[in-house]
Amino acid sequence: MTEAMTTGRQRLPDELGALADGVSLTLHIVRHAETEYNVAHVMQGWSNSPITERGREQIAAAGAALADVRLDAAFSSDLERTRLTAEGILAAHPSPPSLELRDDLREWNFGGHEEVPSAVVWGRLFAQHGLEVDRELSAMRVLADRMSWSDIFDGIADLDETGQSEKAAETVVRADRALSHVIETVTADATAGDERTVLVVSHGGFITTLLRQLTPEMTPTTILPNCSISTVRLQGTTWSLDGVGERPEAFAA
């Protein structure tokens, strides 16, 4: 067991890369398909919400985009919207790997904020900083200039009177645990110089946490479209961010 696992310390990107023992990795990380809560702009977190008709079309597009990509392993959050997205993508693949469902790939836990309109939740944080509630994207960029992503995240959690919302440090530890499991599982039967390609299906907020673990230049203001594909590659112990939030048709082009 590594020091990071025993102390809860966040691994550095090269420490995560070292877990692969010289195996080259490509991670295609997909956000789940559109849900009714997405359309209604409701805080979703660990809550379930049905996939829309448009969401089913997005799954089909993502499956077509990844059908010609070799997949050696597949992992997904165990929440319904991610599981259904992953299963749909794999159903379109000619040689699909088995799917492993994991609770550590779930979205950020918003606790008492879940199933509440996002404008209400974010509006309270924006108001604290004198920003306009009806200009969410602009306000988020202003906040990102003033605060770190973890401070923004913790600001939302602090507004949850139930005390159930995850703090930024908790999501980082969870992302570290998920990534280390993926890396070690995929490379367990490989040797240095081999290549492995992996499908990971997760959630918009948590994917940004995963990406920042590997490529810290990832910004907190990036909004990932539903069923978009973000690609990270590992060579040696160095990670490169080769694509962020690519729509399936752009990925396949």
Side-chain angles (χ1 to χ4, degrees):
M1 184 175 291
T2 66
E3 178 189 353
M5 292 181 67
T6 57
T7 64
R9 176 180 63 82
Q10 176 185 355
R11 289 179 179 86
L12 297 173
D14 60 348
E15 292 176 312
L16 283 166
L19 296 177
D21 288 331
V23 177
S24 297
L25 293 179
T26 299
L27 305 182
H28 295 302
I29 307 177
V30 180
R31 186 188 176 196
H32 64 81
E34 180 186 81
T35 68
E36 292 182 2
Y37 279 175
N38 290 148
V39 175
H41 301 291
V42 168
M43 301 289 279
Q44 198 158 204
W46 289 14
S47 301
N48 283 315
S49 173
I51 290 175
T52 64
E53 179 59 35
R54 182 185 180 195
R56 289 188 281 274
E57 294 172 356
Q58 292 169 340
I59 293 172
L66 290 164
D68 294 331
V69 175
R70 188 191 79 194
L71 295 176
D72 299 295
F75 302 84
S76 172
S77 156
D78 62 347
L79 295 178
E80 181 180 76
R81 59 192 184 274
T82 39
R83 175 180 60 80
L84 293 175
T85 300
E87 289 174 349
I89 291 172
L90 293 176
H93 201 279
S95 302
S98 60
L99 177 64
E100 181 179 343
L101 300 177
R102 295 191 59 82
D103 60 6
D104 55 14
L105 284 170
R106 289 183 178 186
E107 179 60 290
W108 300 337
N109 183 355
F110 294 115
H113 293 317
E114 296 198 4
E115 303 186 16
V116 176
S118 58
V120 173
V121 178
W122 284 102
R124 293 176 64 192
L125 183 63
F126 297 154
Q128 285 185 343
H129 295 271
L131 301 173
E132 296 180 33
V133 176
D134 61 347
R135 297 179 60 192
E136 184 170 326
L137 294 182
S138 296
M140 178 63 77
R141 295 187 182 99
V142 173
L143 277 185
D145 288 338
R146 298 179 182 177
M147 307 164 63
S148 68
W149 78 268
S150 58
D151 287 338
I152 294 173
F153 190 93
D154 287 347
I156 290 292
D158 289 340
L159 291 170
D160 178 13
E161 290 85 356
T162 71
Q164 298 174 15
S165 290
E166 262 183 319
K167 293 282 192 157
E170 295 175 280
T171 67
V172 168
V173 169
R174 186 154 62 85
D176 190 277
R177 183 169 67 245
L179 287 168
S180 62
H181 174 80
V182 168
I183 295 167
E184 292 178 325
T185 299
V186 171
T187 59
D189 62 349
T191 58
D194 288 347
E195 298 181 2
R196 294 290 185 268
T197 304
V198 185
L199 171 69
V200 177
V201 181
S202 188
H203 307 261
F206 196 66
I207 289 173
T208 62
T209 302
L210 294 171
L211 294 177
R212 280 193 298 271
Q213 284 292 94
L214 303 176
T215 56
E217 65 271 18
M218 177 71 183
T219 64
T221 54
T222 300
I223 298 175
L224 303 175
N226 291 106
C227 267
S228 63
I229 304 169
S230 298
T231 302
V232 188
R233 301 188 194 279
L234 173 69
Q235 293 287 337
T237 60
T238 301
W239 299 92
S240 61
L241 189 57
D242 288 6
V244 178
E246 291 185 282
R247 297 183 188 276
E249 57 272 20
F251 175 87

